[in-house]
Amino acid sequence: MGCFFSKKSRRKSPKKDSALPDGDESATGNDLPESNNTALGSDNNQEAPKQYSWDKREKVDPKDFMLTGLKNETVGRLPGKLNGQQFVIQDCENCNIYVFDHSATITIDDCVNCRIMLGPVKGSVFFRDCKDIKCVVACQQFRTRDCKKMDVFLCCATQPIIESSTGMKFGCYQYYYPELAFHFKDAGLSIFNNNWSNIHDFTPVSGETNWSLLPEDAVVLECVPLPDPESEFKSVRISTEASRSIVPLTKGGRRTESEESCLFVFFAGDYTTANARKLIDEATTKGFVLIQTKEVSMRPEDVNRVFQSNAESLTEWITKGPVVALELNGDGVVEACRSIANEVFNGAKLFVSESKNTSSRDVDNFFNFADMQMGL
């Protein structure tokens, strides 16, 4: 029994003599009423043509949304330059590339020996025919095809996929710059939904391993350095420390040192994200390890299935939004989490495993449900 506490490229402007939109044949100044034409007495004084929405759109230069054919350069985009547009990187060699903005999708083709940092991507990030790449990526979908030797610090909402790729190494996303939290929100990504270690190899080879996990002590700056102080990105305040990272550092699929885990769930409220971060700080300071996190919506039937005997008391708490769940691991973690809940989060709407005898079941019930909910 658990314990609970209370865009794509723009259309060009129509030419002056181009056809009008269907059903709007009287939309020009040439079709003024006869009496009005007579009163004006001159064709030069006719009404100005009506403006349409596409006439007022800001013109987009495709070159602003691609990097191509570069060598030995530090390049990228500052915050506010992409604003959710698609972006393309291709045929770059020995470059440091920084995209400090959110985007729709990003494709990276035929790049060699590059260090790449990509801000949150609402859709997919697709690497093709690349080799010797080190990158930091946050996205909805991550995929590689025909790639060799990539080190990826990843936050991915779905299961990352590699295809015909070898020498792939993955670690948990660790990064911060001031606008990053807003960019995650603009891209529709949750910092708690990160499947960085749950890799699917679309083309496995018997007896060979095409991917592995980076060492736990892997350092982002050794893979993707800070921008050159002389570059246009010198003013961006960056941190790669785990304690500053927007995305919580999780152990993922690595082997745990303890058989004891605890499920800790925050129900929607004004401070859910802040409370989850506070819990992580409190627990890791005590030596416990964060295994995984999830943010998902729940229905009453989901509450019944996951929380079982406690469901009746918890059902009313799911109506205000998604829940944030964390799995913490270590000997004595259940007792420690219950103490933290009482001392730090007294009055907050949350659930904590009641004992180590039931905590494994709690963890399995919740995260199996969450994975099914997210199609993992």
Side-chain angles (χ1 to χ4, degrees), residues 197-277:
S197 65
N198 185 20
I199 312 299
H200 176 66
D201 187 351
F202 198 71
T203 52
V205 178
S206 179
E208 297 182 16
T209 301
N210 293 323
W211 67 273
S212 61
L213 301 184
L214 287 165
E216 288 194 60
D217 58 357
V219 178
V220 172
L221 285 183
E222 293 180 358
C223 294
V224 181
L226 295 177
D228 189 316
E230 302 301 317
S231 73
E232 63 177 314
F233 310 108
K234 61 183 178 182
S235 63
V236 181
R237 293 186 291 113
I238 300 168
S239 175
T240 61
E241 297 178 10
S243 59
R244 294 289 307 280
S245 177
I246 290 294
V247 175
L249 178 62
T250 55
K251 196 175 184 71
R254 296 189 179 103
R255 182 183 299 274
T256 58
E257 296 181 4
S258 172
E259 294 184 358
E260 183 179 343
S261 281
C262 179
L263 177 66
F264 206 118
V265 181
F266 289 98
F267 292 81
D270 294 336
Y271 306 103
T272 303
T273 297
N275 284 343
R277 289 188 179 281

Coordinates of all heavy atoms in Angstrom, one line a residue, residues 197-277:
S197 N 18.6 6.1 -23.4 CA 19.3 4.8 -23.3 C 18.6 3.7 -23.9 O 19.1 2.5 -24.0 CB 19.8 4.5 -21.9 OG 18.6 4.2 -21.1
N198 N 17.3 3.9 -24.4 CA 16.4 2.9 -24.9 C 16.5 2.8 -26.4 O 15.6 3.0 -27.1 CB 15.0 3.2 -24.4 CG 14.0 2.1 -24.8 OD1 14.4 0.9 -25.1 ND2 12.8 2.4 -24.9
I199 N 17.7 2.4 -26.9 CA 18.0 2.4 -28.3 C 17.4 1.2 -29.1 O 17.5 0.1 -28.6 CB 19.5 2.5 -28.6 CG1 20.2 3.5 -27.6 CG2 19.9 2.7 -30.0 CD1 19.7 4.9 -27.8
H200 N 16.9 1.5 -30.2 CA 16.4 0.4 -31.1 C 17.3 0.4 -32.3 O 17.4 1.4 -33.1 CB 15.0 0.6 -31.6 CG 14.5 -0.4 -32.6 ND1 14.4 -1.7 -32.3 CD2 14.2 -0.3 -33.9 CE1 14.0 -2.4 -33.3 NE2 13.9 -1.5 -34.3
D201 N 18.0 -0.7 -32.5 CA 18.9 -0.9 -33.7 C 18.1 -1.6 -34.8 O 17.7 -2.8 -34.7 CB 20.1 -1.8 -33.3 CG 21.1 -1.9 -34.4 OD1 20.8 -1.4 -35.6 OD2 22.2 -2.4 -34.2
F202 N 17.8 -0.8 -35.8 CA 16.9 -1.3 -36.9 C 17.6 -2.4 -37.8 O 16.9 -3.2 -38.4 CB 16.5 -0.1 -37.8 CG 15.3 -0.4 -38.6 CD1 14.0 -0.5 -38.1 CD2 15.4 -0.5 -40.0 CE1 12.9 -0.8 -38.9 CE2 14.3 -0.8 -40.8 CZ 13.1 -0.9 -40.2
T203 N 18.9 -2.4 -37.7 CA 19.7 -3.3 -38.6 C 20.8 -4.0 -37.7 O 22.0 -3.8 -38.0 CB 20.3 -2.6 -39.8 OG1 21.0 -1.5 -39.3 CG2 19.2 -2.2 -40.8
P204 N 20.4 -4.8 -36.8 CA 21.4 -5.5 -35.9 C 22.2 -6.5 -36.7 O 21.7 -7.1 -37.7 CB 20.5 -6.1 -34.8 CG 19.2 -6.4 -35.5 CD 19.0 -5.2 -36.4
V205 N 23.4 -6.8 -36.3 CA 24.2 -7.8 -36.9 C 24.6 -8.8 -35.8 O 25.0 -8.4 -34.7 CB 25.5 -7.2 -37.4 CG1 26.4 -8.2 -38.0 CG2 25.2 -6.1 -38.5
S206 N 24.3 -10.1 -36.1 CA 24.6 -11.1 -35.1 C 26.0 -11.1 -34.6 O 26.9 -11.1 -35.5 CB 24.2 -12.5 -35.7 OG 24.4 -13.5 -34.8
G207 N 26.2 -11.1 -33.3 CA 27.6 -11.2 -32.8 C 28.3 -9.8 -32.7 O 29.4 -9.7 -32.2
E208 N 27.6 -8.8 -33.1 CA 28.2 -7.4 -33.1 C 27.3 -6.5 -32.3 O 26.1 -6.6 -32.3 CB 28.5 -6.9 -34.5 CG 29.4 -7.7 -35.3 CD 29.7 -7.1 -36.7 OE1 29.3 -5.9 -36.9 OE2 30.2 -7.8 -37.6
T209 N 27.9 -5.5 -31.7 CA 27.2 -4.4 -31.0 C 27.4 -3.1 -31.7 O 28.5 -2.6 -31.7 CB 27.6 -4.3 -29.6 OG1 27.4 -5.6 -28.9 CG2 26.8 -3.3 -28.8
N210 N 26.4 -2.5 -32.3 CA 26.5 -1.3 -33.0 C 26.4 0.0 -32.1 O 26.8 1.0 -32.6 CB 25.4 -1.2 -34.1 CG 25.6 -2.2 -35.2 OD1 26.7 -2.6 -35.6 ND2 24.5 -2.8 -35.7
W211 N 26.0 -0.2 -30.9 CA 25.8 0.9 -30.0 C 26.1 0.5 -28.6 O 26.1 -0.7 -28.2 CB 24.4 1.5 -30.1 CG 23.3 0.6 -29.6 CD1 22.6 -0.3 -30.3 CD2 22.8 0.6 -28.2 NE1 21.7 -0.9 -29.4 CE2 21.8 -0.3 -28.2 CE3 23.1 1.4 -27.1 CZ2 21.1 -0.6 -27.0 CZ3 22.4 1.1 -25.9 CH2 21.4 0.1 -25.9
S212 N 26.5 1.5 -27.8 CA 26.8 1.3 -26.3 C 26.5 2.6 -25.6 O 26.2 3.6 -26.2 CB 28.2 0.9 -26.1 OG 29.1 1.9 -26.6
L213 N 26.6 2.6 -24.3 CA 26.4 3.7 -23.5 C 27.7 4.4 -23.1 O 28.7 3.7 -22.9 CB 25.6 3.4 -22.2 CG 24.2 2.8 -22.4 CD1 23.5 2.6 -21.0 CD2 23.3 3.6 -23.3
L214 N 27.8 5.7 -23.2 CA 29.0 6.4 -22.8 C 29.2 6.1 -21.3 O 28.3 5.9 -20.5 CB 28.8 7.9 -23.0 CG 28.8 8.4 -24.4 CD1 28.3 9.8 -24.6 CD2 30.2 8.3 -25.0
P215 N 30.5 6.3 -20.8 CA 30.8 6.1 -19.4 C 29.9 7.1 -18.6 O 29.6 8.2 -19.1 CB 32.3 6.4 -19.3 CG 32.8 6.2 -20.7 CD 31.7 6.5 -21.6
E216 N 29.6 6.7 -17.4 CA 28.8 7.6 -16.5 C 29.5 8.9 -16.2 O 28.8 9.9 -16.0 CB 28.4 6.9 -15.2 CG 27.4 5.8 -15.4 CD 26.8 5.4 -14.0 OE1 26.2 6.2 -13.4 OE2 27.0 4.2 -13.7
D217 N 30.8 8.9 -16.3 CA 31.5 10.2 -16.0 C 31.9 10.9 -17.3 O 32.7 11.8 -17.2 CB 32.8 9.9 -15.2 CG 33.8 8.9 -15.9 OD1 33.4 8.4 -17.0 OD2 34.8 8.6 -15.3
A218 N 31.3 10.6 -18.4 CA 31.5 11.3 -19.6 C 31.2 12.8 -19.5 O 30.2 13.1 -18.9 CB 30.7 10.7 -20.8
V219 N 32.0 13.6 -20.0 CA 31.9 15.1 -19.8 C 31.5 15.7 -21.2 O 32.2 15.5 -22.2 CB 33.2 15.7 -19.3 CG1 33.0 17.2 -19.2 CG2 33.5 15.1 -18.0
V220 N 30.4 16.5 -21.2 CA 29.9 17.1 -22.4 C 31.0 18.0 -23.0 O 31.3 17.9 -24.3 CB 28.7 17.9 -22.2 CG1 28.3 18.7 -23.4 CG2 27.5 17.0 -21.8
L221 N 31.7 18.8 -22.2 CA 32.7 19.7 -22.8 C 33.9 19.0 -23.5 O 34.5 19.6 -24.3 CB 33.2 20.6 -21.7 CG 32.3 21.7 -21.2 CD1 32.9 22.6 -20.1 CD2 31.8 22.6 -22.4
E222 N 34.1 17.8 -23.1 CA 35.2 17.0 -23.8 C 34.7 16.6 -25.2 O 35.5 16.2 -26.0 CB 35.6 15.8 -23.0 CG 36.3 16.2 -21.7 CD 36.7 15.0 -20.9 OE1 36.4 13.9 -21.3 OE2 37.3 15.2 -19.8
C223 N 33.4 16.6 -25.4 CA 32.9 16.2 -26.7 C 32.5 17.5 -27.5 O 32.8 17.6 -28.7 CB 31.7 15.3 -26.5 SG 32.1 13.7 -25.8
V224 N 31.7 18.4 -26.9 CA 31.2 19.6 -27.6 C 31.7 20.8 -26.8 O 31.1 21.1 -25.7 CB 29.7 19.6 -27.7 CG1 29.2 20.9 -28.4 CG2 29.2 18.4 -28.4
P225 N 32.8 21.4 -27.1 CA 33.4 22.5 -26.3 C 32.5 23.7 -26.4 O 31.6 23.9 -27.2 CB 34.7 22.7 -27.0 CG 34.5 22.3 -28.5 CD 33.6 21.1 -28.4
L226 N 32.8 24.7 -25.5 CA 32.1 25.9 -25.5 C 32.5 26.7 -26.8 O 33.6 26.5 -27.4 CB 32.5 26.8 -24.3 CG 32.1 26.3 -22.9 CD1 32.7 27.2 -21.8 CD2 30.6 26.1 -22.8
P227 N 31.7 27.6 -27.3 CA 32.0 28.3 -28.5 C 33.2 29.1 -28.3 O 33.6 29.6 -27.2 CB 30.7 29.2 -28.7 CG 29.6 28.5 -28.0 CD 30.3 27.9 -26.8
D228 N 33.9 29.4 -29.4 CA 35.1 30.2 -29.5 C 34.8 31.6 -28.9 O 33.7 32.2 -29.3 CB 35.6 30.3 -30.9 CG 36.9 31.0 -31.0 OD1 37.1 32.0 -30.3 OD2 37.8 30.5 -31.8
P229 N 35.6 32.1 -28.0 CA 35.3 33.4 -27.4 C 35.2 34.6 -28.4 O 34.6 35.6 -28.1 CB 36.5 33.6 -26.4 CG 37.0 32.3 -26.1 CD 36.7 31.5 -27.4
E230 N 35.8 34.3 -29.6 CA 35.7 35.4 -30.6 C 34.5 35.2 -31.5 O 34.3 36.0 -32.5 CB 37.0 35.3 -31.4 CG 38.3 35.5 -30.6 CD 38.3 36.8 -29.9 OE1 37.9 37.9 -30.5 OE2 38.7 36.9 -28.7
S231 N 33.7 34.2 -31.3 CA 32.6 33.9 -32.2 C 31.4 34.7 -31.8 O 31.3 35.4 -30.8 CB 32.2 32.4 -32.2 OG 31.6 32.1 -30.9
E232 N 30.3 34.7 -32.6 CA 29.1 35.4 -32.4 C 28.3 34.9 -31.2 O 27.4 35.5 -30.7 CB 28.2 35.4 -33.6 CG 27.7 34.0 -34.0 CD 26.8 34.0 -35.2 OE1 25.8 34.8 -35.2 OE2 27.0 33.2 -36.1
F233 N 28.7 33.7 -30.7 CA 28.0 33.0 -29.6 C 28.7 33.3 -28.2 O 28.3 32.7 -27.2 CB 28.0 31.5 -29.8 CG 27.5 31.1 -31.2 CD1 28.4 30.6 -32.1 CD2 26.2 31.3 -31.5 CE1 27.9 30.3 -33.4 CE2 25.7 31.0 -32.8 CZ 26.6 30.5 -33.7
K234 N 29.6 34.2 -28.2 CA 30.4 34.5 -27.0 C 29.5 35.0 -25.8 O 29.8 34.8 -24.6 CB 31.5 35.4 -27.2 CG 31.1 36.8 -27.7 CD 32.3 37.7 -28.1 CE 31.8 39.1 -28.6 NZ 33.0 39.9 -29.0
S235 N 28.4 35.6 -26.2 CA 27.5 36.2 -25.1 C 26.5 35.2 -24.5 O 25.8 35.5 -23.6 CB 26.7 37.4 -25.7 OG 25.9 36.9 -26.8
V236 N 26.4 34.0 -25.1 CA 25.5 33.0 -24.6 C 26.1 32.3 -23.4 O 27.2 31.8 -23.4 CB 25.2 31.9 -25.7 CG1 24.2 30.9 -25.2 CG2 24.6 32.5 -27.0
R237 N 25.3 32.4 -22.3 CA 25.8 31.8 -21.0 C 25.4 30.3 -21.0 O 24.3 30.0 -20.9 CB 25.2 32.6 -19.8 CG 25.6 34.0 -19.7 CD 25.1 34.7 -18.5 NE 23.7 34.9 -18.5 CZ 22.8 34.3 -17.7 NH1 23.2 33.4 -16.9 NH2 21.5 34.6 -17.8
I238 N 26.4 29.5 -21.0 CA 26.3 28.1 -21.1 C 26.8 27.3 -19.9 O 27.8 27.8 -19.3 CB 27.0 27.5 -22.4 CG1 26.5 28.2 -23.7 CG2 26.9 26.0 -22.5 CD1 27.4 28.0 -24.9
S239 N 26.1 26.3 -19.5 CA 26.6 25.4 -18.5 C 26.4 23.9 -18.9 O 25.3 23.6 -19.4 CB 26.0 25.6 -17.1 OG 26.4 24.7 -16.2
T240 N 27.3 23.1 -18.7 CA 27.1 21.6 -19.0 C 27.2 20.8 -17.7 O 27.3 19.6 -17.7 CB 28.2 21.1 -20.0 OG1 29.5 21.3 -19.4 CG2 28.1 21.9 -21.3
E241 N 27.2 21.5 -16.5 CA 27.2 20.8 -15.3 C 25.8 20.1 -15.1 O 24.8 20.6 -15.3 CB 27.4 21.7 -14.1 CG 28.8 22.4 -14.2 CD 29.0 23.4 -13.0 OE1 28.1 23.4 -12.1 OE2 30.0 24.1 -13.0
A242 N 25.9 18.9 -14.5 CA 24.7 18.1 -14.3 C 23.7 18.8 -13.4 O 22.5 18.8 -13.6 CB 25.0 16.7 -13.8
S243 N 24.2 19.5 -12.4 CA 23.3 20.2 -11.5 C 22.6 21.4 -12.1 O 21.6 21.9 -11.6 CB 24.1 20.7 -10.3 OG 25.2 21.6 -10.7
R244 N 23.1 21.9 -13.3 CA 22.5 23.1 -13.9 C 21.7 22.6 -15.1 O 20.9 23.4 -15.7 CB 23.6 24.0 -14.5 CG 24.4 24.7 -13.4 CD 23.5 25.8 -12.6 NE 22.9 26.7 -13.5 CZ 23.5 27.8 -14.1 NH1 24.7 28.0 -13.9 NH2 22.8 28.6 -14.8
S245 N 21.8 21.4 -15.5 CA 21.1 20.9 -16.8 C 19.6 21.0 -16.7 O 19.0 20.8 -15.6 CB 21.5 19.4 -17.0 OG 20.8 18.9 -18.2
I246 N 19.0 21.5 -17.8 CA 17.6 21.6 -17.8 C 16.9 20.2 -17.7 O 16.0 20.0 -17.0 CB 17.1 22.2 -19.2 CG1 17.5 23.6 -19.3 CG2 15.6 22.0 -19.4 CD1 16.7 24.5 -18.3
V247 N 17.5 19.2 -18.3 CA 17.1 17.8 -18.3 C 17.7 17.1 -17.1 O 19.0 17.1 -17.0 CB 17.3 17.1 -19.6 CG1 17.0 15.6 -19.5 CG2 16.6 17.7 -20.7
P248 N 17.0 16.4 -16.2 CA 17.6 15.7 -15.1 C 18.5 14.6 -15.6 O 18.2 13.9 -16.6 CB 16.4 15.1 -14.4 CG 15.2 16.0 -14.8 CD 15.5 16.4 -16.2
L249 N 19.6 14.4 -14.9 CA 20.6 13.4 -15.3 C 20.1 12.0 -14.7 O 20.0 11.9 -13.5 CB 22.0 13.7 -14.7 CG 23.1 12.7 -14.9 CD1 23.3 12.5 -16.4 CD2 24.3 13.1 -14.2
T250 N 19.8 11.1 -15.6 CA 19.3 9.8 -15.2 C 20.3 8.7 -15.5 O 21.0 8.8 -16.5 CB 17.9 9.5 -15.9 OG1 18.1 9.6 -17.3 CG2 16.9 10.5 -15.4
K251 N 20.1 7.6 -14.8 CA 21.0 6.5 -15.0 C 20.6 5.6 -16.2 O 21.4 5.0 -16.8 CB 21.0 5.6 -13.7 CG 22.2 4.6 -13.7 CD 22.2 3.8 -12.3 CE 23.4 2.9 -12.2 NZ 24.6 3.7 -12.0
G252 N 19.3 5.7 -16.5 CA 18.8 5.0 -17.7 C 19.0 3.5 -17.6 O 18.7 2.9 -16.6
G253 N 19.4 2.9 -18.7 CA 19.6 1.5 -18.8 C 20.8 0.9 -18.1 O 21.0 -0.3 -18.2
R254 N 21.6 1.7 -17.5 CA 22.8 1.2 -16.8 C 22.4 0.3 -15.6 O 21.3 0.5 -14.9 CB 23.7 2.3 -16.3 CG 24.3 3.1 -17.5 CD 25.3 4.1 -17.0 NE 25.9 4.9 -18.0 CZ 25.6 6.1 -18.3 NH1 24.7 6.7 -17.5 NH2 26.2 6.8 -19.2
R255 N 23.2 -0.6 -15.2 CA 23.0 -1.5 -14.1 C 23.0 -0.7 -12.8 O 23.8 0.1 -12.5 CB 24.0 -2.6 -14.0 CG 23.8 -3.6 -12.9 CD 25.0 -4.6 -12.8 NE 25.1 -5.3 -14.1 CZ 24.4 -6.5 -14.4 NH1 23.5 -6.9 -13.5 NH2 24.6 -7.1 -15.5
T256 N 22.0 -1.0 -11.9 CA 21.9 -0.3 -10.6 C 22.7 -1.1 -9.6 O 22.9 -2.3 -9.7 CB 20.4 -0.2 -10.2 OG1 19.8 -1.6 -10.1 CG2 19.6 0.6 -11.2
E257 N 23.1 -0.4 -8.6 CA 23.9 -1.0 -7.5 C 23.1 -1.5 -6.4 O 23.5 -2.3 -5.6 CB 24.9 0.1 -7.0 CG 25.9 0.5 -8.0 CD 26.9 1.6 -7.4 OE1 26.8 1.8 -6.2 OE2 27.7 2.1 -8.2
S258 N 21.8 -1.1 -6.3 CA 20.9 -1.6 -5.3 C 19.7 -2.2 -5.9 O 19.3 -1.9 -7.0 CB 20.5 -0.4 -4.4 OG 19.5 -0.8 -3.4
E259 N 19.1 -3.1 -5.1 CA 17.8 -3.8 -5.6 C 16.6 -3.0 -5.1 O 15.5 -3.3 -5.4 CB 17.8 -5.2 -5.0 CG 18.8 -6.1 -5.7 CD 18.7 -7.6 -5.2 OE1 17.8 -7.8 -4.4 OE2 19.4 -8.4 -5.7
E260 N 16.9 -1.9 -4.3 CA 15.7 -1.1 -3.8 C 15.5 0.1 -4.6 O 16.4 1.0 -4.7 CB 16.0 -0.8 -2.3 CG 14.9 0.0 -1.6 CD 15.1 0.3 -0.2 OE1 16.0 -0.3 0.4 OE2 14.4 1.1 0.4
S261 N 14.3 0.3 -5.1 CA 13.9 1.5 -5.8 C 12.6 2.0 -5.1 O 11.9 1.3 -4.5 CB 13.7 1.2 -7.2 OG 14.9 1.2 -8.0
C262 N 12.4 3.3 -5.4 CA 11.2 4.0 -4.8 C 10.5 4.7 -5.9 O 11.1 5.4 -6.7 CB 11.6 4.9 -3.7 SG 10.2 5.8 -2.9
L263 N 9.1 4.7 -5.9 CA 8.4 5.5 -6.9 C 7.9 6.7 -6.1 O 7.3 6.7 -5.0 CB 7.1 4.7 -7.4 CG 6.2 5.5 -8.3 CD1 6.9 5.9 -9.6 CD2 4.9 4.7 -8.5
F264 N 8.2 7.9 -6.7 CA 7.8 9.2 -6.1 C 7.0 9.9 -7.2 O 7.6 10.2 -8.3 CB 9.0 10.0 -5.7 CG 8.8 11.0 -4.6 CD1 9.5 10.9 -3.4 CD2 7.9 12.0 -4.8 CE1 9.3 11.8 -2.4 CE2 7.7 13.0 -3.8 CZ 8.4 12.9 -2.6
V265 N 5.7 10.2 -7.0 CA 4.9 10.9 -8.0 C 4.4 12.2 -7.5 O 3.8 12.3 -6.4 CB 3.7 9.9 -8.4 CG1 2.9 10.6 -9.5 CG2 4.2 8.6 -8.9
F266 N 4.6 13.2 -8.3 CA 4.0 14.6 -8.1 C 2.8 14.7 -9.0 O 2.9 14.6 -10.2 CB 5.0 15.7 -8.3 CG 6.1 15.8 -7.3 CD1 7.3 15.2 -7.6 CD2 5.9 16.4 -6.1 CE1 8.4 15.3 -6.7 CE2 7.0 16.5 -5.2 CZ 8.2 15.9 -5.5
F267 N 1.6 15.1 -8.4 CA 0.4 15.4 -9.1 C 0.4 16.9 -9.5 O 1.1 17.7 -8.9 CB -0.8 15.0 -8.4 CG -0.9 13.5 -8.2 CD1 -0.2 12.8 -7.2 CD2 -1.7 12.7 -9.1 CE1 -0.3 11.4 -7.1 CE2 -1.8 11.4 -8.9 CZ -1.1 10.7 -7.9
A268 N -0.3 17.2 -10.6 CA -0.2 18.5 -11.2 C -0.5 19.6 -10.2 O -1.4 19.5 -9.4 CB -1.2 18.6 -12.4
G269 N 0.3 20.6 -10.2 CA 0.1 21.8 -9.4 C 1.0 22.9 -9.9 O 1.6 22.8 -10.9
D270 N 1.0 24.0 -9.1 CA 1.8 25.2 -9.6 C 3.3 25.0 -9.5 O 4.0 25.7 -10.2 CB 1.4 26.4 -8.7 CG -0.1 26.8 -8.9 OD1 -0.6 26.5 -9.9 OD2 -0.6 27.4 -7.9
Y271 N 3.7 24.1 -8.7 CA 5.2 23.9 -8.5 C 5.7 22.5 -8.8 O 6.6 22.1 -8.2 CB 5.5 24.3 -7.1 CG 5.0 25.7 -6.7 CD1 3.9 25.9 -5.9 CD2 5.7 26.8 -7.2 CE1 3.5 27.1 -5.5 CE2 5.2 28.1 -6.8 CZ 4.1 28.2 -6.0 OH 3.7 29.5 -5.7
T272 N 5.0 21.8 -9.7 CA 5.3 20.4 -9.9 C 6.8 20.2 -10.4 O 7.5 19.4 -9.9 CB 4.4 19.8 -11.0 OG1 3.0 19.9 -10.5 CG2 4.7 18.3 -11.2
T273 N 7.2 21.0 -11.4 CA 8.5 20.9 -11.9 C 9.6 21.3 -10.9 O 10.6 20.6 -10.7 CB 8.7 21.8 -13.2 OG1 7.8 21.3 -14.2 CG2 10.1 21.7 -13.7
A274 N 9.3 22.4 -10.2 CA 10.2 22.9 -9.1 C 10.3 21.8 -8.0 O 11.4 21.6 -7.5 CB 9.8 24.2 -8.6
N275 N 9.2 21.2 -7.6 CA 9.2 20.2 -6.6 C 10.0 19.0 -7.0 O 10.8 18.4 -6.2 CB 7.8 19.8 -6.2 CG 7.1 20.8 -5.4 OD1 7.7 21.7 -4.8 ND2 5.8 20.7 -5.3
A276 N 9.9 18.6 -8.3 CA 10.6 17.4 -8.8 C 12.1 17.7 -8.8 O 12.9 16.8 -8.4 CB 10.1 17.1 -10.2
R277 N 12.5 18.9 -9.1 CA 13.9 19.3 -9.1 C 14.4 19.3 -7.6 O 15.5 18.8 -7.4 CB 14.1 20.6 -9.7 CG 13.9 20.7 -11.2 CD 14.4 22.0 -11.8 NE 14.2 22.1 -13.2 CZ 15.1 21.6 -14.1 NH1 16.2 20.9 -13.6 NH2 14.9 21.7 -15.4

